[in-house]
Amino acid sequence: KNTKDGTDTIDGNTSSMGPGEYYLFKVRSYQKYQDCLWNIAYRYYKRPRLWKKIYNANKGRIKDPNVILPGWILKVPKLK
């Protein structure tokens, strides 16, 4: 759902349009929200197997795709 400031809210998590072809996603706690690349891909694409698109867009930050930390802002590529 869109808000006045141009951000989108998905499942209670605020994401805004990033530069160019990306959404921005702020990672929350895995224990409470189960934020992992697989689940983030499901939220945005409804296809969890596309988690590698998110990983590849964030290789400078993510060293191990099994480890993403709360507070990180990840780029989520838009599907064409």
Side-chain angles (χ1 to χ4, degrees):
K1 116 176 75 157
N2 286 330
T3 60
K4 287 182 186 177
D5 64 358
T7 60
D8 295 325
T9 302
I10 298 177
D11 295 336
N13 187 40
T14 301
S15 61
S16 59
M17 300 300 280
E21 299 291 317
Y22 298 99
Y23 296 103
L24 298 178
F25 179 85
K26 185 172 184 179
V27 178
R28 301 168 297 175
S29 163
Y30 182 80
Q31 287 78 15
K32 185 172 181 182
Y33 300 102
Q34 295 186 339
D35 281 348
C36 64
L37 295 178
W38 179 274
N39 288 338
I40 295 168
Y42 178 75
R43 282 187 199 132
Y44 282 87
Y45 308 137
K46 300 300 183 212
R47 294 168 55 197
R49 291 184 186 263
L50 293 179
W51 67 268
K52 285 185 182 180
K53 290 181 83 56
I54 300 168
Y55 171 67
N56 288 331
N58 294 279
K59 276 190 174 180
R61 172 166 292 239
I62 302 172
K63 304 299 181 226
D64 178 349
N66 294 310
V67 179
I68 59 173
L69 299 177
W72 281 3
I73 305 294
L74 300 179
K75 295 185 293 186
V76 180
K78 296 178 187 176
L79 292 180
K80 297 179 181 181

